[in-house]
Amino acid sequence: MDKRAGGGFPAGVLAKRIIPCLDVTDGRVVKGVNFVDLIDAGDPVECAMAYNEQQADELVFLDITASSDDRATMVDVVRRTAEHCFIPLTVGGGIRTVENMREMLLAGADKVGINTSAVKTPELVDAGAKAFGSQCVVVAIDAKREGPGKWGVYTHGGRTPVGRDAVEWAKEVWRRGAGEILLTSMDCDGTKAGYDCELTAAVSEAVGIPVIASGGAGNLDHMVEVLERGKADAVLAASIFHFGTHTVGEAKEHFAARGIPVRPHVD
Amino acid sequence: MPVKVGIIDYGAGNLRSAANAVQALGFDPVLLARDEGFDGVTHLIFPGVGAFGDAMGELHRRGLADPIRQWIAADRPFFAICVGYQVLFDSGLESPGVPGLGVFPGKVVRFPEDGRKIPHMGWNAVRLLDPSDPLWAGLGAQPYFYFVHSFYPEPEGSDLIAMECDYAGTRFAAAIRRGNLIATQFHPEKSQQAGVRLLGNFLR
């Protein structure tokens, strides 16, 4: 390696991103966030600001009920978050049309995540990319192991199989103009036993766009594993950060010590 | 003269983010969507996302191309971001046949499809060619900024280049400087401390 500055990596090494995800319903964070100094741990804006303080690389809001009333609430959450947090913000959940996308982007979101609606209407990926650019369109894929080296796409929190191969679906949305894939292993999600590295590597190697690994983070080594063995470009995690097990800063130090490029903490 | 920030609004840009960052720095920006309202503006910010051709089309339709060219010709404080940076050049491979603003000679090219992931998305470090530039005050030796792009300008002649970045073996001009102009391929409005600090230095 050439000379290092400020504990960072040589210029030109794209950092692996650490992305906390906040599940929101009716404008409230589900399960709350457990760190100190929050006046209202259920307020998504406060939680977002706390992660902004920790210098998370990006943030994801997932609207988990996403009724139409809910969307108006979410737009307001996004607008208030964008006033205070100057990192990229992705919003997913209940986005069904180009108009829904526009609403979120105008409120201050940088990217929108689509999942079920993309499965139902794959053309939504093309339309979103054409209207706002590929960089705005994140396709979320919920995948479940169906055999050795084989994963199926599921919707509705892993309950409904859609009869598609996850790697093939990833390739299709990439061709249609998705800018990024948020890949969740339904087998690992909630287990805290580690990400599905095999799934993540299969998808990451099949597409020419970044892949965010999600589902299964129980400790920082799990993240290291999915970034290295799983060839992920970013890691998404919820409880490991929400419950204060680790801060984003600790994750960065841990990664850097293992030679994984991260954006160093700025004082 | 008190600082008054104008933000170019050509319909596509995520100018809300730029406006939010300017507001966080304590200024109240005005949005400029037509060839009027420039009076009293001291600092002009030209944000951008979307395609080169779409941006140029809207700039012409709204009568903004000439005011921007005149502003730059008078060397007034100007900060262009992403596609705003790209359209300062002659042409872009993203939209063949669509002339850019032509302020600087050069063209906008695409990262090669050699197995690397495109867009170049995320946080990358830049090299400051003149670390003593007051505009970089407080950024440290090797600041990280947030990039999201598939194309980048190749300025003719290297004297414009102020910051360099590498992505998977391709070195490109992450920022250019001339007089009171700065233009960046990264998004300062999404680059947290480093980005907001850079915008703050520009507005000082």
Side-chain angles (χ1 to χ4, degrees):
Chain A
M1 296 227 216
D2 39 289
K3 59 179 179 182
R4 292 186 168 200
F9 286 79
V13 180
L14 186 60
K16 299 288 184 179
R17 288 170 281 155
I18 300 172
I19 309 176
C21 175
L22 292 157
D23 287 354
V24 178
T25 182
D26 291 325
R28 303 288 295 171
V29 175
V30 182
K31 290 192 286 192
V33 167
N34 215 4
F35 23 84
V36 286
D37 299 338
L38 283 191
I39 297 161
D40 178 1
D43 178 9
V45 182
E46 276 225 39
C47 294
M49 286 168 73
Y51 282 124
N52 187 56
E53 277 297 301
Q54 289 190 15
Q55 300 191 11
D57 295 314
E58 296 193 23
L59 276 178
V60 170
F61 280 140
L62 201 55
D63 192 350
I64 58 167
T65 45
S67 64
S68 23
D69 292 352
D70 234 21
R71 200 162 42 241
T73 313
M74 199 61 186
V75 166
D76 182 57
V77 165
V78 169
R79 190 181 50 72
R80 289 188 291 127
T81 302
E83 283 170 9
H84 301 288
C85 298
F86 301 106
I87 51 175
L89 175 65
T90 301
V91 183
I95 289 165
R96 297 184 183 87
T97 63
V98 168
E99 217 23 70
N100 293 159
M101 292 181 178
R102 188 188 313 276
E103 207 178 2
M104 288 303 175
L105 296 172
L106 284 178
D110 299 281
K111 315 178 196 182
V112 287
I114 51 175
N115 185 341
T116 307
S117 55
V119 170
K120 278 189 185 157
T121 321
E123 294 74 24
L124 184 60
V125 179
D126 309 59
K130 187 166 183 299
F132 312 112
S134 284
Q135 80 287 344
C136 290
V137 182
V138 181
V139 175
I141 300 177
D142 291 347
K144 205 165 172 173
R145 194 176 282 268
E146 290 178 336
K150 193 168 164 43
W151 299 267
V153 178
Y154 283 68
T155 55
H156 302 94
R159 291 191 302 277
T160 316
V162 301
R164 275 175 178 274
D165 178 78
V167 175
E168 288 307 314
W169 175 233
K171 280 157 81 172
E172 178 176 340
V173 298
W174 165 41
R175 283 192 217 102
R176 286 182 179 275
E180 198 165 31
I181 288 171
L182 168 52
L183 180 66
T184 303
S185 159
M186 301 313 297
D187 305 294
C188 299
D189 200 26
T191 64
K192 295 190 166 66
Y195 296 85
D196 187 336
C197 291
E198 202 193 337
L199 163 69
T200 311
V203 171
S204 187
E205 283 170 348
V207 298
I209 49 178
V211 173
I212 306 168
S214 156
N219 59 49
L220 298 179
D221 283 325
H222 290 151
M223 297 182 170
V224 170
E225 229 170 65
V226 82
L227 290 169
E228 289 184 337
R229 208 152 57 76
K231 301 183 164 52
D233 300 283
V235 284
L236 181 123
S239 51
I240 193 171
F241 295 132
H242 296 344
F243 301 138
T245 319
H246 293 288
T247 62
V248 173
E250 284 166 10
K252 285 186 180 179
E253 275 172 35
H254 191 82
F255 293 2
R258 280 150 189 81
I260 293 177
V262 291
R263 173 174 67 115
H265 192 92
V266 179
D267 292 324
Chain B
M1 191 157 52
V3 169
K4 188 179 171 195
V5 183
I7 298 179
I8 296 288
D9 173 8
Y10 65 92
N14 61 339
L15 48 96
R16 167 64 70 92
S17 299
N20 282 337
V22 168
Q23 259 156 0
L25 286 161
F27 303 98
D28 207 8
V30 290
L31 300 183
L32 302 165
R34 296 165 54 185
D35 61 346
E36 56 187 43
F38 285 72
D39 293 348
V41 172
T42 58
H43 292 67
L44 196 58
I45 296 177
F46 182 20
V49 292
F52 188 101
D54 294 348
M56 282 311 302
E58 274 305 303
L59 287 177
H60 286 303
R61 207 179 62 76
R62 294 171 183 236
L64 286 163
D66 282 336
I68 291 172
R69 282 198 194 95
Q70 286 158 14
W71 185 279
I72 296 170
D75 193 27
R76 305 180 71 186
F78 183 81
F79 198 134
I81 299 167
C82 194
V83 175
Y85 165 39
Q86 296 178 1
V87 298
L88 298 180
F89 291 86
D90 294 326
S91 61
L93 287 185
E94 188 176 13
S95 311
V98 178
L101 289 171
V103 174
F104 300 113
K107 58 181 190 297
V108 181
V109 300
R110 193 174 200 270
F111 285 116
E113 291 202 39
D114 54 4
R116 75 180 70 203
K117 301 210 168 177
I118 299 174
H120 172 221
M121 183 187 282
W123 296 82
N124 206 336
V126 300
R127 199 165 68 84
L128 309 171
L129 273 77
D130 174 11
S132 67
D133 190 326
L135 205 50
W136 315 150
L139 293 182
Q142 188 182 274
Y144 276 71
F145 293 104
Y146 187 80
F147 290 85
V148 50
H149 62 121
S150 307
F151 295 84
Y152 58 92
E154 271 184 345
E156 270 173 32
S158 60
D159 56 324
L160 274 178
I161 300 172
M163 293 186 190
E164 282 183 331
C165 184
D166 284 85
Y167 176 45
T170 304
R171 180 167 293 184
F172 65 94
I176 58 167
R177 281 276 276 124
R178 195 188 72 185
N180 288 313
L181 174 145
I182 173 169
T184 64
Q185 182 56 67
F186 55 81
H187 288 271
E189 78 284 14
K190 285 289 155 189
S191 298
Q192 229 179 17
Q193 283 91 342
V196 175
R197 203 164 284 168
L198 177 59
L199 283 169
N201 290 346
F202 167 71
L203 295 176
R204 225 186 3 229

